[in-house]
Amino acid sequence: MKLVKPTKKYEKSWHEALAEFRAEKRKGFWNLEKEPTNLEDYIKLTKDNKIGKSLPKDWGPSTTFWLIDKDQFVGHTNIRHKLNDYLAKIGGNIGYYIRPSARNKGYGTKILELALIKAKKLELQKVLITCNESNIASQKIIEKNKGKFQDKVLGEGEPKLRYWIEL
Ligand SMILES: CC(C)(COP(=O)(O)OP(=O)(O)OC[C@H]1O[C@@H](n2cnc3c(N)ncnc32)[C@H](O)[C@@H]1OP(=O)(O)O)[C@@H](O)C(=O)NCCC(=O)NCCS
């Protein structure tokens, strides 16, 4: 299992995963209205985001990786290099998403473990991870990766739990 930069190599399973994301009708992690569903454009966007270009509102420069297992796209993670006001309260340094058909098999725990190694390489010393109060799976993932609970904050939508992980 490994994290890789978005690449044409896993295009077929990436498209299959996109269809699953779409069917899930979930907002937030993958903005289907705004993010390209053409892989070449998507790869360009992730390269731009890394250097702070074409960022979503309230975001900062960020790096995206894909989790690959047995040559298949399983999920993605986005590492934000620096916290701003919005990220410090709501978004945190790291987000992750596992495709629906691959959930509850340990991939969520693994993607955060591997993202922490990447964050360290990006010279972060500690990372803030947030999750919705109702997201039990994410809370378990953060705690299994040594997340220390800080507090619960109110903002847009559901209350968020904030955790810190030392790298
Ligand atoms: C949250 C998410 C990443 C979990 O991924 P996953 O691959 O299912 O996670 P894991 O298999 O590593 O499971 C972690 C733990 O949560 C538990 N779990 C998984 N799905 C669960 C669910 N729906 N309800 C309650 N617990 C759940 C697992 O049993 C496991 O518990 P354990 O440590 O006691 O064994 C995935 O559901 C997802 O992508 N959700 C949408 C995006 C999202 O919420 N991202 C997190 C942002 S903070």
Side-chain angles (χ1 to χ4, degrees):
M1 217 179 306
K2 60 185 176 186
L3 287 184
V4 302
K5 289 191 185 139
T7 158
K8 293 281 274 180
K9 184 170 177 198
Y10 306 107
E11 183 164 17
K12 186 169 179 287
S13 55
W14 180 75
H15 277 295
E16 289 162 2
L18 258 190
E20 291 176 14
F21 292 143
R22 229 182 250 119
E24 195 182 26
K25 293 198 171 65
R26 188 188 183 98
K27 287 215 178 273
F29 301 92
W30 200 293
N31 192 332
L32 287 168
E33 288 101 56
K34 292 193 184 142
E35 293 190 349
T37 49
N38 165 298
L39 184 54
E40 277 171 20
D41 293 344
Y42 181 72
I43 290 174
K44 176 164 185 336
L45 180 68
T46 59
K47 285 181 180 165
D48 282 350
N49 287 173
K50 197 172 169 188
I51 54 168
K53 280 169 61 183
S54 309
L55 291 168
K57 184 174 172 284
D58 296 325
W59 230 239
S62 63
T63 307
T64 296
F65 293 101
W66 288 356
L67 182 67
I68 305 297
D69 191 28
K70 302 183 188 85
D71 262 349
Q72 300 289 311
F73 173 95
V74 174
H76 73 168
T77 179
N78 179 255
I79 305 175
R80 297 117 209 181
H81 308 165
K82 256 197 221 164
L83 296 175
N84 57 24
D85 288 350
Y86 173 78
L87 294 174
K89 191 172 172 197
I90 306 290
N93 285 108
I94 301 180
Y96 38 87
Y97 194 117
I98 298 299
R99 62 189 284 184
S101 63
R103 289 188 188 155
N104 222 343
K105 296 177 181 167
Y107 288 119
T109 306
K110 193 69 189 174
I111 201 169
L112 180 57
E113 182 190 320
L114 296 175
L116 294 172
I117 296 169
K118 296 287 186 189
K120 197 167 181 178
K121 284 195 181 141
L122 285 163
E123 298 186 354
L124 278 80
Q125 284 159 0
K126 59 178 188 170
V127 290
L128 178 71
I129 319 267
T130 66
C131 71
N132 282 348
E133 192 172 25
S134 64
N135 195 339
I136 305 299
S138 197
Q139 286 164 45
K140 285 187 170 180
I141 288 170
I142 298 167
E143 282 160 12
K144 284 201 288 187
N145 280 286
K146 302 196 172 62
K148 299 262 180 319
F149 176 71
Q150 175 178 282
D151 58 6
K152 175 162 90 175
V153 288
L154 303 175
E156 55 194 46
E158 232 195 278
K160 295 273 179 192
L161 306 182
R162 298 196 291 186
Y163 295 82
W164 286 100
I165 300 179
E166 302 279 340
L167 300 177

